[in-house]
Structure formats: structure tokens, C-alpha cells
Amino acid sequence: MTDFDRLLQQTRQALASMRSTGEVPDDPDVRPARGTGSAAGGQVEAVAVGQRVESVTVDPRALRMGAEMLGEQITLAVNAALDDLRLQAGEAADAPAVDPVALGRQLDELQNESVRSMAAMTGALTDAVRRIQQAAR
């Protein structure tokens, strides 16, 4: 089996999986959206990934604010990170959706056309080899 055949087979399997489950297979190159936010002039920073807060970083200088003010600043930073995450998700949702059925049809057509082209090329090469052999006699 050639590399192209292997790739074609993997693509067909992924499409079949998408058709049956409606989910995209795991891809190590696909990373979840990441939202960031800050408050108190950058002294409080938050990172959100996958609708969850991944981290909150507080600069030691921010500890001088007092508990209530620091709590408000942390809340602002986390909300800014979640808003950034939602914004990124909204931008991703605006991207055109992939129709796995249509993509599968296109892949089938491409494979059929490739087979026809390969058959024509093989026939032409066979004919050329036959002519060379005849000329050598």
C-alpha cells in the first residue's frame, strides 16, 4: 500500500467517523481556545481554557490593595478572560462548517478521477514500452 493509499484510507475512516458521530476525531494539532484577561493595570492576570479558569496570577504588589479590592480585581480579570474566550469561540463559530457528507462525496470523486487518470497513464506507458520493444527487434 502506497503512502497516498494509506492517507486516503485514513481520511475515509475519519470522514466515516464524522458522519456517524458528528464529532471531529481527536487531533493533537488542534488546541482548545484560550482566553486571557487582566485587571489592576496588569497586576492581576487570568487565563481561561475550555470554559474553565486555568490560572490566576497576582503580582505581589497587588496584595497591598486590601481583600475586597483584590477580590474585585480578580473577578474582573477572570471575567475578561472568559469574555475573551467567548469572543474567540464566536469567531470560530462564524467560520464555515464542514459538511462531512459533501466532503466524502468530493473525496470519492477525486479518488475515481485519480483511478481513471492512473489507468490512462498506465496504458500510455504500456504502449510506449511495447513500441520501444518492437523498435529494438
Side-chain angles (χ1 to χ4, degrees):
M1 180 178 283
T2 67
D3 289 339
F4 177 75
D5 290 334
R6 208 170 296 116
L7 178 62
L8 187 61
Q9 182 179 15
Q10 289 171 349
T11 304
R12 285 179 171 232
Q13 288 171 348
L15 282 170
S17 172
M18 286 172 58
R19 285 181 191 139
S20 63
T21 65
E23 294 180 6
V24 178
D26 289 339
D27 186 344
D29 295 330
V30 175
R31 298 178 193 258
R34 181 181 198 86
T36 59
S38 65
Q43 292 181 356
V44 179
E45 296 178 342
V47 176
V49 178
Q51 298 298 330
R52 297 188 57 89
V53 177
E54 182 179 78
S55 67
V56 175
T57 306
V58 179
D59 186 297
R61 293 175 293 163
L63 298 176
R64 297 180 192 151
M65 289 182 201
E68 188 174 329
M69 178 63 97
L70 182 58
E72 290 173 8
Q73 296 303 310
I74 290 172
T75 301
L76 288 171
V78 168
N79 284 335
L82 292 172
D83 289 344
D84 185 41
L85 188 63
R86 282 187 205 98
L87 178 66
Q88 290 180 34
E91 289 171 356
D94 291 341
V98 174
D99 180 4
V101 174
L103 189 57
R105 267 186 262 140
Q106 289 177 340
L107 187 60
D108 288 340
E109 291 171 17
L110 177 62
Q111 182 185 23
N112 292 336
E113 180 62 33
S114 298
V115 168
R116 285 190 294 271
S117 295
M118 186 59 76
M121 186 184 303
T122 302
L125 287 172
T126 302
D127 188 44
V129 168
R130 187 175 36 80
R131 287 183 189 170
I132 291 171
Q133 288 173 340
Q134 287 176 350
R137 291 184 189 161

